[in-house]
Each structure stands twice: as C-alpha cells, then as structure tokens.
Amino acid sequence: MESVAEALRADPAALQDLVDDAVVWASQHGLLVGAGLADPACATVHAPVALLPVPYPRETFLRAKAAALAFNAMVDAVARDEEYLSTVLAAAAQEDPFTARLLQVFRDTAAERHARRDQEGVLAVLRSDYMLHAPTNSLLQVELNTIASSFGCLSTLVSRMHAYLLGRLGAREAELGALPTHNAMDGIADAMGASVAEYCSAAGCSTGEAVMVMVVQPGERNAYDQQWLQTRLWERHGVRTLRRNLAQLAAEGRLGPDGSLTVGGHRVALVYFRAGYTPDDYPGEAEWEARCLVERSDAFKCPSVAYQLAGAKKIQQDLARPGVVERFAASAADAQLLRSFFAGLWGLEDLATNPDTQAVVDDAVAHPERYVLKPQREGGGNNYYGEALRDKLAGARTAGGAGLGAYILMQRIQPPVHRSVMVRLGQAVEADTLSELGVYSTFVRRGDRVLLSAEAGTLVRTKAATSDEGGVASGYAVLDSPLLV
C-alpha cells in the first residue's frame, strides 16, 4: 500500500483520477451527506472520505472486536442499576443542568419502568471508540457511545469503496484480503428488526402494522446514514419508519392506558434516538415531555434514559476505579479485558478535599498536553485541550474546585501519525493524520431474556494530526477504513 501511495504522490494526474473515481463511486452508492443548502434542502454531496485505507495492526483490531460482547453485558448491567447511576451522577447533576434533567426524567418515569420490569424492551446500538497509544503500543478507549452511534451505514460503504479503489489500482490479492469487510448497516437493521418482531409477538400485532420512530434533529446533514437504516429495515424486515423530531413527537404521540405508544395513529414498537443527546435538542418543555412519553411507553427504546446515562463520561471514569468494572462485568475474564482498554481517568468533584485529585490537577496545569478535560456532552467540539484546559483547571483550582463536578479529566492518547489523502467536496488534501477506531455492537433484551448480543462492524475516522476534535459530522474528520498489517 505504501508503494501505491508513493506512486500517487509522484503522479498528480493519477491522483486526481482516483479522487474522481472515489467521488463518483460515493455518489452512485449512497455514500452521501446533505449539502446543507436551504434550497433545495434535498441537495447532497459525497461524504468526506480518506482516499485510501489507513494501516492498522491486525491483532489490535481483532482484540477490539472481540471485546464487543463484554462491553454489551457490562453496559446493560450498569443501566439496570438505578442506585449506582443516581449516586455516581449526583455530583455532575449539581453543576450540569442537562445531566440533572436526564436524571429527573429517570426518576419521574420510575413507576412505569418498575411496573414492566419483567417485560422491559431494550435495544442497544453501542460504539466503543479507541485510539492506539504509540508510547506503549496499546489500544485505549476514548469513549463508549450509548446514544446516536452514527456512521454505521456510511462506514459499511467506505470499506466497499476502498476495496473498489484498490482493485482499480491493481492491488494484489493479499492487499485486498487485508481490507476487512463488515456490514454494520445490516447488523444494526437486523437488531432493530429483532426488537420489532419481539414487541409484536408480545403485543399481538404484525410487523407490518407497527412502526419504528426515528427521533432526529431538524435539518440533519447526516440523514443519509440514518435513512440507509430505514431502507434496510424495510427491505429485510418489512418495518416502516417514521422520522420525527422531539417537538413533533410531543405533538403527535399518544400513550394508551396499556402503555402502548402511537404516533400519527401508528403503533410504535421501537423508538430509535439519533437526537436527544445535547441540550440543543430540548429547546422547550415539549421536547422533555416527548422524552418522558417514550420512557413511559411499552415500546423498545434505543436508548432508554438509563442507557443514555450509562454512557455518560462520569460513568466511564467511575468504571475505571478499582473494583467497579469488576462489579458490572459478566466475568472476571471480561473485567480484565475491559480494564485493559481504560486510559487514565480522574473525577474532579473532590478537588477541594482529595490530595490525589489535587496532584493530578496540578500536573495537568503544568503539562496540559498530557490531558483532555471532558464535560458530560456528546457530539464533538466540547472538550478542553492545551491552554484552554490549563486556564479552565487553574481557574477552578483557585475557586476551590467550583464547577468541576460536571467534568472528568482523561489521559491524552498519543496515536501514531500516518500520511493520508482526505477528500472533501471533491478536493483532495494530503496531510499528517491520526485515526480512531470504532467498534459497533448490538444488544436486544426483553426483561431478563437476552435475545441478541453481537459485534456489528467497525468505523475508522481520520483527522489532521493538528486537530484536537474528531467528529465527521462536525467537520473535523473523514470516514476511513483499516488495512490490516
């Protein structure tokens, strides 16, 4: 692969031909995002992509995939422990209104949740994100996403595009074999189909009668990744999807006396959230009422509020404390595996009283390049790095730690640098880059019965080495795939 890349660098015309091939392939095969235009709103452009796959160590890649089921079981156990969630998130809730409101929804809907405990319908679509840490040659977890785990469909297409492009370049069979295939698109759609089928079996309705409601943000540019799931859910399982934002769900949703949820007269078997993870998704009380409506219903939820809370940064940090992941893992072997991925993580709510916390904050102020400061937020663009981290911590330290309960401090991972060609809007830019691996997993549970637990595919996002953030939808990164070495 290095020889191919070198040849392209030496031949600008050949590089442009390959860029053109990539753009055409993406446009023909639905590897698309919204163009962000008001008129026409349906205008599209190819998704930002890496032109060629990034080299990735084979054994490390396989080890990350093998951990998926252990993470499934651990997250489910955390989400079912109401006392643990409430206790660990209490300090963050005191200083972060969004976490406090999610906890309030959790408490306000407890009666309905407890009444149907034996029949609770859970669908989890998780994505565990990792980076290679070059100084120790280890793989460390960046975060575990429990809500709106995006790009499963577009990542499926990127791996197919790379196989096509390598074939056009005359790659040898061994090189093509080093490009792992996956189908997160159908893996996630099949988990949705299994949830709807289980709901309908218990409710006495057919899968043709019930619908999935996909909760989305207005003006979503990443709608095509979402709509691939709608298409495959219909093609493979005959289940219709209704796209609604939270305000529309509040206006159209009705809860029956038996707990059944209807939207626009359609019985809802599954509510799948691709929104609801940021305060911006709740501009008024109607949106919070919609979230409560879903929680009180008998529909499968992806995720429930409990699962969303289980993915909070504060929970990630607390699980790394001695003995905690061991409490929730399915076995001692699982706990050992999960712990091996944990980076350094520190809570900050006890800065005023704990000498260990004071010491790590002092070190972060002195060496901000070694750390990342993270709030209880998803979606990219929220973290503190470098001088901004130093200023934030130094100011809070002077104030006795005020405001830090809503944050965690994390070791900054130092991944290896690769040379990549990134393509946006048809234009190629070559740069030093860093890559992040995501592993999807699906989990379906009814009461205490686990109906499905599976690893469901992978995602690689590549960004310029000079960029701190790594979101594709937020404009920092491109979609990529691994070439195993």
Side-chain angles (χ1 to χ4, degrees):
M1 184 53 57
E2 285 299 324
S3 61
V4 171
E6 289 294 336
L8 289 173
R9 291 188 191 104
D11 189 342
L15 175 63
Q16 187 58 53
D17 285 346
L18 195 65
V19 170
D20 292 343
D21 281 349
V23 170
V24 170
W25 192 100
S27 301
Q28 290 174 328
H29 292 82
L31 181 49
L32 302 169
V33 294
L37 302 178
D39 185 23
C42 61
T44 63
V45 65
H46 73 86
V49 295
L51 188 61
L52 295 172
V54 64
Y56 208 89
R58 181 183 299 271
E59 293 304 317
T60 303
F61 176 80
L62 296 176
R63 186 165 166 268
K65 283 163 60 74
L69 303 193
F71 275 112
N72 279 358
M74 184 268 289
V75 171
D76 188 61
V78 171
R80 299 179 77 173
D81 193 324
E82 297 187 9
E83 182 179 359
Y84 174 77
L85 290 174
S86 297
T87 300
V88 172
L89 292 171
Q94 288 180 358
E95 298 177 355
D96 177 38
F98 184 58
T99 301
R101 193 62 188 268
L102 287 172
L103 276 172
Q104 187 63 51
V105 172
F106 189 51
R107 288 190 292 267
D108 289 348
T109 58
E112 292 86 352
R113 186 168 59 252
H114 296 164
R116 62 169 183 274
R117 189 186 304 273
D118 294 340
Q119 292 297 313
E120 179 189 24
V122 169
L123 168 62
V125 177
L126 308 180
R127 195 187 71 224
S128 184
D129 292 335
Y130 305 91
M131 277 186 159
L132 289 162
H133 187 53
T136 58
N137 196 31
S138 56
L139 188 68
L140 299 180
Q141 187 182 60
V142 177
E143 63 181 354
L144 180 61
N145 301 277
T146 62
I147 182 170
S149 301
S150 61
F151 291 115
C153 297
L154 296 193
S155 71
T156 301
L157 297 174
V158 167
S159 65
R160 295 174 186 173
M161 182 195 75
H162 280 158
Y164 169 80
L165 294 176
L166 290 181
R168 290 289 296 268
L169 289 171
R172 299 185 301 272
E173 185 176 345
E175 289 178 317
L176 292 174
L179 190 64
T181 60
H182 74 95
N183 196 340
M185 182 190 298
D186 285 354
I188 295 170
D190 288 348
M192 292 171 168
S195 301
V196 174
E198 170 62 25
Y199 177 90
C200 290
S201 175
C205 60
S206 73
T207 55
E209 297 174 288
V211 300
M212 177 178 82
V213 171
M214 185 182 294
V215 182
V216 298
Q217 295 170 329
E220 172 64 73
R221 287 196 66 196
N222 195 29
Y224 293 90
D225 181 63
Q226 301 168 359
Q227 287 166 338
W228 267 115
L229 287 176
Q230 298 173 215
T231 299
R232 298 303 284 159
L233 183 60
W234 172 254
E235 292 174 343
R236 293 173 70 83
H237 301 279
V239 177
R240 288 183 56 205
T241 299
L242 303 180
R243 294 174 63 85
R244 298 290 187 271
N245 60 43
L246 283 166
Q248 292 168 331
L249 190 55
E252 298 180 35
R254 299 291 183 271
L255 195 64
D258 60 352
S260 61
L261 175 64
T262 58
V263 173
H266 300 281
R267 185 155 185 172
V268 179
L270 167 64
V271 181
Y272 172 56
F273 285 90
R274 290 293 289 259
Y277 54 85
T278 168
D280 294 341
D281 291 334
Y282 302 88
E285 284 303 306
E287 288 79 8
W288 286 111
E289 291 169 5
R291 193 65 191 270
C292 287
L293 183 75
V294 172
E295 283 296 304
R296 292 192 169 103
S297 79
D298 66 358
F300 274 72
K301 302 159 191 70
C302 184
S304 64
V305 167
Y307 255 79
Q308 183 171 350
L309 292 171
K313 301 295 189 295
K314 181 60 186 173
I315 297 295
Q316 179 188 8
Q317 175 265 313
D318 194 73
L319 286 167
R321 291 194 305 113
V324 181
V325 75
E326 289 76 9
R327 170 181 167 186
F328 293 107
S331 68
D334 276 6
Q336 184 177 17
L337 175 62
L338 297 177
R339 188 169 286 283
S340 71
F341 295 110
F342 291 167
L345 293 157
W346 299 270
L348 300 173
E349 66 275 6
D350 58 353
L351 176 60
T353 58
N354 189 327
D356 291 337
T357 304
Q358 293 165 1
V360 74
V361 168
D362 288 346
D363 190 64
V365 170
H367 305 284
E369 72 281 0
R370 299 176 182 174
Y371 299 89
V372 181
L373 184 64
K374 295 186 171 185
Q376 308 303 306
R377 290 290 182 273
E378 305 295 335
N382 300 300
N383 298 335
Y384 290 80
Y385 301 87
E387 291 304 312
L389 179 150
R390 185 203 301 267
D391 293 345
K392 179 75 172 178
L393 288 180
R397 184 177 59 181
T398 301
L404 287 183
Y407 294 82
I408 67 165
L409 191 63
M410 181 175 174
Q411 167 193 358
R412 185 160 189 177
I413 304 171
Q414 300 173 37
V417 175
H418 293 279
R419 196 73 179 164
S420 300
V421 176
M422 298 181 287
V423 183
R424 290 189 181 89
L425 301 176
Q427 302 299 310
V429 175
E430 186 177 5
D432 288 337
T433 59
L434 313 175
S435 295
E436 184 172 331
L437 171 70
V439 178
Y440 296 97
S441 60
T442 54
F443 182 87
V444 181
R445 174 172 58 78
R446 166 74 87 176
D448 291 329
R449 292 185 297 121
V450 176
L451 307 176
L452 172 70
S453 184
E455 183 264 314
T458 57
L459 164 73
V460 174
R461 288 169 295 176
T462 291
K463 65 179 182 179
T466 54
S467 173
D468 288 325
E469 297 288 352
V472 176
S474 47
Y476 299 106
V478 299
L479 298 168
D480 205 342
S481 62
L483 186 78
L484 302 183
V485 296

